[in-house]
Structures are given as structure tokens and as C-alpha cells.
Amino acid sequence: MFSEERWLENEKKCAVVRKPKPGRKRQELLAVALGVKVHTFRGPHWCEYCANFMWGLIAQGVRCSDCGLNVHKQCSKHVPNDCQPDLKRIKKVYCCDLTTLVKAHNTQRPMVVDICIREIEARGLKSEGLYRVSGFTEHIEDVKMAFDREISNADERLEAVHDVLMLLPPAHYETLRYLMIHLKKVTLNEKDNLMNAENLGIVFGPTLMRSPEDSTLTTLHDMRYQKLIVQILIENEDVLF
């Protein structure tokens, strides 16, 4: 059995916590402030700060998630933290760092705040239960997706959809084209039938954009995107076909 003195000595050794080196801790804090993450580069890469080669096979350096700057870990602490975010790297309005978002769009606050408040003050101040009654989850997600889509160029999005349509077999393309022309005529009578492009997307999306995977979770996840694609096809029928 251990003596009491021996036991106390072992307890003290186990209680010792290794403190991180000040330099490493400072570097980690700077990395967080800069929005940089350790990155593994494929192929030869050079540091964009010191212009020296990045040695190693993995985790050779860090990359800024905002502007894409690639530097050594040690060089990251010398890089100014006021980089200009690249819009190509900002994929979403939601789940995005607030400072990064406003710097990317050169605004004082996120545009989504201005748009939502302006819309509420224009036609929603007298709505019963304002800010208390929850909206439908699907509608909320649609609004969020709409804001996220406005970051990308609408013309580029239509061009990408058109390129995919060109890959369809002739029979599939012609059938889809004819159906979209018909559905566009349906939307022209929205006042009577209450069926706009969004509603038609909900109806025809699961049929026209059925997932090859027979999975309930996949189907539920894809429903929103299925509706969106069909909605785009109907609204832009004269351009895409």
C-alpha cells in the first residue's frame, strides 16, 4: 500500500495542468479573429505574406474563410484583420458572421434587416400578434432561401439551369417544355384558380424532380428545392425553353 506522503505526491502530479505557451495562445486568438482555419493544400503552395514555400503534406498553412488568403500559421499573426471578404465565398445571408457580411456588401448592417423592417413598417404594424405569433416553418425557410439566392447573380442562375436542360434527352426536353408552357398559362389565371408558380411548384415538384434515392429523409429534404426549381422553370419558361 502507498504511504500517505506518496499518495499526496501522486495526487499533486496528476493535478498539474499543462499551460499553453503564450505565443501559441495568442496565435490561436488571432486566427479566430481573422477567421482563418488550418488548411491542407493540394500541390505546391506559397505563402501570400512572406512568399516562401509551404512545406509539408498536410496542414501546411491557414486560409482565411472570408477573402481566401493563404499564409503560414506563423505569418497569420502579421496579417491585418481588416481584409475585404470575397462575395464568391459568402454563400449565405444566414449562418454568416455579421462583420463579414456587412463588409462584403459594404453596408452598415445586413440588408436583410433593412428589407424586413421596411416591409413590416409598410404593411405589418397593425397585424395582430406581430412578433408573437410564429409563422409557418416552410414559409420562413422559403424567405431565408430567397435572401440567400439574392447573393448570386440571377442571370448566372438561369444560365446554369438552361445548361442542365440542354443535357436532357430530346423526348424529356420537349415534354418538359410543353408542360411548362401549359403551367405558365395556368398562372396567368391566378386570380380565378389561385395557382401561382409557387403553388404549382409544390404540386409538380415531387413528380418532376423525384429523387433517385428511395428515402423518406431525402424526399423531405429535397421538397423545398424541387418546388423552387419547378417555380423557376414556370416563371422563366420563355427564356429557358
Side-chain angles (χ1 to χ4, degrees), residues 3 16 21-22 37-39 41 75 82-83 103 105 110 123 128 139 142 144 166 172 186 199 224 239:
S3 64
V16 173
K21 296 181 179 180
K37 296 181 180 179
V38 176
H39 189 77
F41 300 94
C75 292
D82 58 347
C83 67
K103 287 175 66 177
H105 293 277
R123 59 186 182 91
E128 183 180 350
H139 292 170
D142 288 342
K144 292 170 64 175
M166 291 297 99
H172 292 72
V186 173
N199 291 335
R224 189 174 296 108
V239 176

mmCIF file of all heavy atoms in Angstrom, residues 3 16 21-22 37-39 41 75 82-83 103 105 110 123 128 139 142 144 166 172 186 199 224 239:
data_model
loop_
_atom_site.group_PDB
_atom_site.id
_atom_site.type_symbol
_atom_site.label_atom_id
_atom_site.label_comp_id
_atom_site.label_asym_id
_atom_site.label_seq_id
_atom_site.Cartn_x
_atom_site.Cartn_y
_atom_site.Cartn_z
ATOM 1 N N SER A 3 2.110 4.896 1.015
ATOM 2 C CA SER A 3 2.081 5.711 2.218
ATOM 3 C C SER A 3 1.293 6.977 1.926
ATOM 4 O O SER A 3 1.051 7.343 0.772
ATOM 5 C CB SER A 3 3.511 6.077 2.650
ATOM 6 O OG SER A 3 4.120 6.886 1.651
ATOM 7 N N VAL A 16 -1.559 18.619 -11.986
ATOM 8 C CA VAL A 16 -0.846 19.645 -12.753
ATOM 9 C C VAL A 16 -1.443 19.733 -14.143
ATOM 10 O O VAL A 16 -1.579 18.733 -14.833
ATOM 11 C CB VAL A 16 0.661 19.310 -12.849
ATOM 12 C CG1 VAL A 16 1.349 20.304 -13.797
ATOM 13 C CG2 VAL A 16 1.291 19.372 -11.464
ATOM 14 N N LYS A 21 1.592 27.623 -24.241
ATOM 15 C CA LYS A 21 2.575 28.682 -24.384
ATOM 16 C C LYS A 21 1.892 29.979 -24.777
ATOM 17 O O LYS A 21 0.962 29.980 -25.588
ATOM 18 C CB LYS A 21 3.599 28.288 -25.451
ATOM 19 C CG LYS A 21 4.423 27.070 -25.067
ATOM 20 C CD LYS A 21 5.433 26.744 -26.157
ATOM 21 C CE LYS A 21 6.268 25.532 -25.765
ATOM 22 N NZ LYS A 21 7.259 25.191 -26.809
ATOM 23 N N PRO A 22 2.334 31.124 -24.229
ATOM 24 C CA PRO A 22 1.692 32.402 -24.545
ATOM 25 C C PRO A 22 1.647 32.679 -26.035
ATOM 26 O O PRO A 22 0.667 33.196 -26.561
ATOM 27 C CB PRO A 22 2.580 33.417 -23.805
ATOM 28 C CG PRO A 22 3.211 32.631 -22.699
ATOM 29 C CD PRO A 22 3.424 31.263 -23.255
ATOM 30 N N LYS A 37 -8.571 29.266 -40.883
ATOM 31 C CA LYS A 37 -8.602 27.884 -40.435
ATOM 32 C C LYS A 37 -7.435 27.134 -41.042
ATOM 33 O O LYS A 37 -7.000 27.435 -42.165
ATOM 34 C CB LYS A 37 -9.917 27.223 -40.858
ATOM 35 C CG LYS A 37 -11.156 27.832 -40.224
ATOM 36 C CD LYS A 37 -12.407 27.109 -40.687
ATOM 37 C CE LYS A 37 -13.653 27.714 -40.049
ATOM 38 N NZ LYS A 37 -14.899 27.044 -40.495
ATOM 39 N N VAL A 38 -6.931 26.158 -40.295
ATOM 40 C CA VAL A 38 -5.851 25.323 -40.804
ATOM 41 C C VAL A 38 -6.326 24.618 -42.060
ATOM 42 O O VAL A 38 -7.435 24.080 -42.104
ATOM 43 C CB VAL A 38 -5.399 24.308 -39.737
ATOM 44 C CG1 VAL A 38 -4.353 23.370 -40.305
ATOM 45 C CG2 VAL A 38 -4.867 25.032 -38.508
ATOM 46 N N HIS A 39 -5.492 24.617 -43.081
ATOM 47 C CA HIS A 39 -5.916 24.087 -44.380
ATOM 48 C C HIS A 39 -4.827 23.184 -44.959
ATOM 49 O O HIS A 39 -3.637 23.445 -44.798
ATOM 50 C CB HIS A 39 -6.188 25.241 -45.349
ATOM 51 C CG HIS A 39 -6.837 24.814 -46.621
ATOM 52 N ND1 HIS A 39 -8.168 24.496 -46.722
ATOM 53 C CD2 HIS A 39 -6.302 24.621 -47.868
ATOM 54 C CE1 HIS A 39 -8.448 24.157 -47.968
ATOM 55 N NE2 HIS A 39 -7.336 24.220 -48.677
ATOM 56 N N PHE A 41 -3.312 21.988 -48.364
ATOM 57 C CA PHE A 41 -3.275 22.399 -49.764
ATOM 58 C C PHE A 41 -2.832 21.233 -50.647
ATOM 59 O O PHE A 41 -1.935 20.477 -50.286
ATOM 60 C CB PHE A 41 -2.313 23.575 -49.949
ATOM 61 C CG PHE A 41 -2.687 24.793 -49.157
ATOM 62 C CD1 PHE A 41 -2.133 25.022 -47.903
ATOM 63 C CD2 PHE A 41 -3.591 25.707 -49.663
ATOM 64 C CE1 PHE A 41 -2.476 26.149 -47.169
ATOM 65 C CE2 PHE A 41 -3.942 26.836 -48.935
ATOM 66 C CZ PHE A 41 -3.376 27.054 -47.682
ATOM 67 N N CYS A 75 2.765 33.351 -40.109
ATOM 68 C CA CYS A 75 2.558 34.623 -40.808
ATOM 69 C C CYS A 75 1.170 35.195 -40.559
ATOM 70 O O CYS A 75 0.948 36.397 -40.750
ATOM 71 C CB CYS A 75 2.766 34.447 -42.312
ATOM 72 S SG CYS A 75 4.477 34.090 -42.784
ATOM 73 N N ASP A 82 -8.367 43.340 -41.307
ATOM 74 C CA ASP A 82 -9.412 44.114 -41.982
ATOM 75 C C ASP A 82 -9.487 43.749 -43.457
ATOM 76 O O ASP A 82 -9.594 44.604 -44.330
ATOM 77 C CB ASP A 82 -9.157 45.615 -41.826
ATOM 78 C CG ASP A 82 -7.794 46.025 -42.380
ATOM 79 O OD1 ASP A 82 -6.972 45.134 -42.653
ATOM 80 O OD2 ASP A 82 -7.570 47.235 -42.559
ATOM 81 N N CYS A 83 -9.404 42.440 -43.760
ATOM 82 C CA CYS A 83 -9.456 42.002 -45.146
ATOM 83 C C CYS A 83 -10.840 42.262 -45.737
ATOM 84 O O CYS A 83 -11.822 42.401 -45.017
ATOM 85 C CB CYS A 83 -9.115 40.515 -45.257
ATOM 86 S SG CYS A 83 -10.351 39.421 -44.493
ATOM 87 N N LYS A 103 -19.220 43.782 -44.372
ATOM 88 C CA LYS A 103 -18.030 44.200 -45.113
ATOM 89 C C LYS A 103 -18.088 43.733 -46.557
ATOM 90 O O LYS A 103 -17.664 44.449 -47.477
ATOM 91 C CB LYS A 103 -16.766 43.648 -44.439
ATOM 92 C CG LYS A 103 -16.420 44.352 -43.133
ATOM 93 C CD LYS A 103 -15.242 43.697 -42.438
ATOM 94 C CE LYS A 103 -13.982 43.853 -43.227
ATOM 95 N NZ LYS A 103 -12.816 43.287 -42.514
ATOM 96 N N HIS A 105 -20.729 43.362 -48.406
ATOM 97 C CA HIS A 105 -21.707 44.144 -49.162
ATOM 98 C C HIS A 105 -21.523 45.644 -48.977
ATOM 99 O O HIS A 105 -22.320 46.429 -49.512
ATOM 100 C CB HIS A 105 -23.117 43.743 -48.745
ATOM 101 C CG HIS A 105 -23.489 42.342 -49.132
ATOM 102 N ND1 HIS A 105 -23.962 42.009 -50.384
ATOM 103 C CD2 HIS A 105 -23.437 41.178 -48.447
ATOM 104 C CE1 HIS A 105 -24.193 40.716 -50.443
ATOM 105 N NE2 HIS A 105 -23.883 40.180 -49.278
ATOM 106 N N PRO A 110 -26.731 44.281 -42.069
ATOM 107 C CA PRO A 110 -27.178 43.335 -43.101
ATOM 108 C C PRO A 110 -28.410 43.844 -43.838
ATOM 109 O O PRO A 110 -29.330 44.394 -43.226
ATOM 110 C CB PRO A 110 -27.502 42.068 -42.301
ATOM 111 C CG PRO A 110 -26.722 42.201 -41.040
ATOM 112 C CD PRO A 110 -26.676 43.664 -40.733
ATOM 113 N N ARG A 123 -46.531 47.507 -44.095
ATOM 114 C CA ARG A 123 -47.843 46.846 -44.156
ATOM 115 C C ARG A 123 -48.100 45.846 -43.027
ATOM 116 O O ARG A 123 -49.063 45.085 -43.110
ATOM 117 C CB ARG A 123 -47.989 46.116 -45.492
ATOM 118 C CG ARG A 123 -46.933 45.055 -45.761
ATOM 119 C CD ARG A 123 -47.057 44.478 -47.168
ATOM 120 N NE ARG A 123 -46.088 43.428 -47.424
ATOM 121 C CZ ARG A 123 -46.310 42.136 -47.202
ATOM 122 N NH1 ARG A 123 -47.480 41.748 -46.736
ATOM 123 N NH2 ARG A 123 -45.385 41.243 -47.462
ATOM 124 N N GLU A 128 -52.231 41.571 -36.100
ATOM 125 C CA GLU A 128 -52.445 41.022 -34.763
ATOM 126 C C GLU A 128 -51.368 39.997 -34.412
ATOM 127 O O GLU A 128 -51.051 39.135 -35.212
ATOM 128 C CB GLU A 128 -53.818 40.358 -34.687
ATOM 129 C CG GLU A 128 -54.155 39.811 -33.310
ATOM 130 C CD GLU A 128 -55.518 39.166 -33.262
ATOM 131 O OE1 GLU A 128 -56.268 39.309 -34.252
ATOM 132 O OE2 GLU A 128 -55.855 38.515 -32.243
ATOM 133 N N HIS A 139 -42.733 28.561 -44.883
ATOM 134 C CA HIS A 139 -42.672 29.920 -45.402
ATOM 135 C C HIS A 139 -41.414 30.639 -44.920
ATOM 136 O O HIS A 139 -40.795 31.408 -45.679
ATOM 137 C CB HIS A 139 -43.911 30.702 -44.968
ATOM 138 C CG HIS A 139 -45.171 30.204 -45.613
ATOM 139 N ND1 HIS A 139 -46.440 30.616 -45.223
ATOM 140 C CD2 HIS A 139 -45.369 29.325 -46.629
ATOM 141 C CE1 HIS A 139 -47.348 30.015 -45.970
ATOM 142 N NE2 HIS A 139 -46.724 29.220 -46.822
ATOM 143 N N ASP A 142 -38.553 29.438 -46.933
ATOM 144 C CA ASP A 142 -38.607 29.992 -48.287
ATOM 145 C C ASP A 142 -38.053 31.417 -48.315
ATOM 146 O O ASP A 142 -37.335 31.795 -49.245
ATOM 147 C CB ASP A 142 -40.049 29.990 -48.806
ATOM 148 C CG ASP A 142 -40.534 28.589 -49.143
ATOM 149 O OD1 ASP A 142 -39.674 27.696 -49.307
ATOM 150 O OD2 ASP A 142 -41.751 28.388 -49.240
ATOM 151 N N LYS A 144 -35.882 32.718 -46.197
ATOM 152 C CA LYS A 144 -34.440 32.633 -45.975
ATOM 153 C C LYS A 144 -33.711 32.215 -47.244
ATOM 154 O O LYS A 144 -32.652 32.761 -47.592
ATOM 155 C CB LYS A 144 -34.137 31.650 -44.841
ATOM 156 C CG LYS A 144 -34.614 32.140 -43.481
ATOM 157 C CD LYS A 144 -34.514 31.061 -42.425
ATOM 158 C CE LYS A 144 -33.102 30.646 -42.156
ATOM 159 N NZ LYS A 144 -33.017 29.679 -41.040
ATOM 160 N N MET A 166 -30.288 21.514 -71.423
ATOM 161 C CA MET A 166 -29.723 21.107 -72.708
ATOM 162 C C MET A 166 -29.166 19.681 -72.658
ATOM 163 O O MET A 166 -28.929 19.063 -73.698
ATOM 164 C CB MET A 166 -28.612 22.069 -73.120
ATOM 165 C CG MET A 166 -29.093 23.481 -73.486
ATOM 166 S SD MET A 166 -30.183 23.506 -74.933
ATOM 167 C CE MET A 166 -31.795 23.587 -74.146
ATOM 168 N N HIS A 172 -37.514 14.016 -73.307
ATOM 169 C CA HIS A 172 -37.700 14.607 -71.982
ATOM 170 C C HIS A 172 -37.776 16.131 -72.087
ATOM 171 O O HIS A 172 -38.622 16.770 -71.436
ATOM 172 C CB HIS A 172 -36.551 14.202 -71.057
ATOM 173 C CG HIS A 172 -36.528 12.756 -70.711
ATOM 174 N ND1 HIS A 172 -36.178 11.775 -71.605
ATOM 175 C CD2 HIS A 172 -36.824 12.108 -69.548
ATOM 176 C CE1 HIS A 172 -36.241 10.586 -71.023
ATOM 177 N NE2 HIS A 172 -36.634 10.766 -69.783
ATOM 178 N N VAL A 186 -51.541 28.573 -66.860
ATOM 179 C CA VAL A 186 -52.326 28.405 -65.633
ATOM 180 C C VAL A 186 -52.093 29.583 -64.688
ATOM 181 O O VAL A 186 -53.037 30.116 -64.081
ATOM 182 C CB VAL A 186 -51.969 27.076 -64.931
ATOM 183 C CG1 VAL A 186 -52.661 26.987 -63.568
ATOM 184 C CG2 VAL A 186 -52.366 25.892 -65.806
ATOM 185 N N ASN A 199 -47.238 27.702 -56.031
ATOM 186 C CA ASN A 199 -48.184 26.633 -55.718
ATOM 187 C C ASN A 199 -48.054 25.468 -56.693
ATOM 188 O O ASN A 199 -48.127 24.296 -56.304
ATOM 189 C CB ASN A 199 -49.615 27.175 -55.752
ATOM 190 C CG ASN A 199 -49.893 28.140 -54.609
ATOM 191 O OD1 ASN A 199 -49.241 28.075 -53.573
ATOM 192 N ND2 ASN A 199 -50.832 29.034 -54.805
ATOM 193 N N ARG A 224 -38.275 21.223 -50.804
ATOM 194 C CA ARG A 224 -38.169 22.671 -50.955
ATOM 195 C C ARG A 224 -37.434 23.039 -52.239
ATOM 196 O O ARG A 224 -37.815 23.969 -52.949
ATOM 197 C CB ARG A 224 -37.460 23.266 -49.745
ATOM 198 C CG ARG A 224 -37.480 24.783 -49.702
ATOM 199 C CD ARG A 224 -36.890 25.305 -48.414
ATOM 200 N NE ARG A 224 -37.694 24.901 -47.261
ATOM 201 C CZ ARG A 224 -37.299 23.987 -46.376
ATOM 202 N NH1 ARG A 224 -36.132 23.404 -46.504
ATOM 203 N NH2 ARG A 224 -38.065 23.664 -45.360
ATOM 204 N N VAL A 239 -37.726 32.081 -71.445
ATOM 205 C CA VAL A 239 -36.271 32.276 -71.573
ATOM 206 C C VAL A 239 -35.527 30.944 -71.605
ATOM 207 O O VAL A 239 -34.570 30.772 -72.360
ATOM 208 C CB VAL A 239 -35.747 33.135 -70.395
ATOM 209 C CG1 VAL A 239 -34.229 33.264 -70.460
ATOM 210 C CG2 VAL A 239 -36.420 34.497 -70.392
#
